[in-house]
C-alpha cells in the first residue's frame, strides 16, 4: 500500500503525545484508566479528522473504531491477558509471582495501549487523507502491521509514560471517574 498522505504539520508529535497519554492512563487505577482510554483515542481521531478538514460526530467516530475492531474489544483482551499473567505467575511463584505478574501485566498493557493508539492515529490520518474511501481490508491490514511496529516504538517512551502517569495520578487525585474523563476529553491532561 502507498504511504500515508502528508497533512499540514508533522503528525508524529500528535501521535506520540496521545500514545504516551493512553499508555499512562493504563497505569492509573483500572476503572479510571479503562474508561478514559477509548474516549481519548477517539478524541485523537477527531483531532486528526479536523486536520483534514473533516467534521466528525460521535457516530462517525464509533463507526471508524468498529471498522477496525478496536476499542472495547482491545480493552477486554488486555484485561484478560493481565488476569492470565497474574494467575499463572501467582500459582507458580506465590506472592512474589503475583507482584511480578502485576508489573508484567502493566507493561504488557501499556505496550498494547501505546501501540493501538499510535496505529489508530496513523491509519486515521491515511483514511481521512484519502477522503474516507479506503478499502477496509487494506485499512485493517495496515492497522495490524502498525500495531506491531508501534510495540517496539513504545520502549523508547517508557520514561515519558511513567512521568505522565505520575502527573495524571497527582492531577486527578480525589476526582471521580467522570470528572477525570471530562478533563481528559477537554484536553486538560495532554
Amino acid at each position: 500500500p502507498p504511504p500515508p498522505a502528508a497533512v499540514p504539520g508533522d503528525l508524529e508529535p500528535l501521535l506520540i503525545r496521545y500514545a504516551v497519554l493512553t499508555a499512562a492512563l493504563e497505569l492509573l487505577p483500572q476503572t479510571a484508566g479503562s474508561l478514559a482510554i477509548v474516549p481519548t483515542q477517539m478524541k485523537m481521531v477527531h483531532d486528526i479528522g479536523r486536520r483534514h478538514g473533516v467534521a466528525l460526530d460521535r457516530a462517525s467516530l464509533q463507526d471508524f473504531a468498529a471498522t477496525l475492531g478496536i476499542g472495547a474489544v482491545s480493552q477486554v483482551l488486555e484485561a484478560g491477558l493481565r488476569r492470565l499473567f497474574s494467575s499463572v505467575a501467582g500459582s507458580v511463584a506465590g506472592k512474589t509471582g503475583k507482584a511480578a505478574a502485576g508489573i508484567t501485566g502493566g507493561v504488557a498493557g501499556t505496550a498494547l495501549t501505546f501501540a493501538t493508539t499510535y496505529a489508530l492515529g496513523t491509519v486515521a490520518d491515511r483514511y481521512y487523507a484519502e477522503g474516507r474511501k479506503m478499502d477496509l481490508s487494506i485499512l485493517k491490514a495496515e492497522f495490524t502491521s502498525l500495531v506491531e511496529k508501534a510495540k517496539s516504538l513504545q520502549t523508547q517512551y517508557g520514561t515519558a509514560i511513567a512521568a505522565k502517569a505520575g502527573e495524571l495520578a497527582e492531577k486527578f487525585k480525589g476526582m471521580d471517574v467522570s470528572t477525570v474523563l471530562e478533563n481528559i476529553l477537554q484536553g486538560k491532561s495532554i
Side-chain angles (χ1 to χ4, degrees):
V7 294
D10 187 11
L11 184 66
E12 189 75 8
L14 178 81
L15 295 176
I16 296 299
R17 190 172 75 227
Y18 274 104
V20 166
L21 173 60
T22 56
L25 288 167
E26 186 64 46
L27 296 174
L28 294 179
Q30 188 59 28
T31 303
S34 291
L35 290 176
I37 291 168
V38 173
T40 302
Q41 290 171 331
M42 292 301 97
K43 182 176 182 336
M44 175 190 66
V45 170
H46 181 267
D47 290 351
I48 290 169
R50 281 191 332 192
R51 291 170 64 113
H52 288 281
V54 177
L56 302 171
D57 60 11
R58 179 176 282 182
S60 63
L61 288 171
Q62 289 171 337
D63 287 344
F64 178 77
T67 297
L68 290 173
I70 60 160
V73 175
S74 69
Q75 299 303 310
V76 169
L77 173 63
E78 176 193 329
L81 287 172
R82 260 199 227 113
R83 282 192 295 275
L84 176 65
F85 276 121
S86 182
S87 66
V88 169
S91 65
V92 171
K95 206 174 210 179
T96 304
K98 287 182 183 178
I103 293 167
T104 303
V107 170
T110 59
L112 179 61
T113 301
F114 181 97
T116 301
T117 303
Y118 185 91
L120 175 65
T122 304
V123 169
D125 180 53
R126 181 164 177 203
Y127 178 74
Y128 294 120
E130 295 187 13
R132 303 191 312 187
K133 296 182 184 185
M134 275 185 76
D135 179 273
L136 296 181
S137 62
I138 293 172
L139 200 62
K140 287 181 180 182
E142 185 174 336
F143 178 79
T144 301
S145 170
L146 285 163
V147 166
E148 291 309 311
K149 173 191 168 200
K151 281 181 185 175
S152 63
L153 183 63
Q154 180 267 346
T155 59
Q156 298 173 32
Y157 293 94
T159 302
I161 292 167
K164 186 62 150 177
E167 174 190 323
L168 292 173
E170 186 60 34
K171 182 175 190 171
F172 298 136
K173 186 187 269 182
M175 287 186 191
D176 61 42
V177 173
S178 63
T179 305
V180 170
L181 272 171
E182 185 179 321
N183 276 270
I184 290 169
L185 295 177
Q186 291 175 357
K188 294 180 180 175
S189 65
I190 299 175

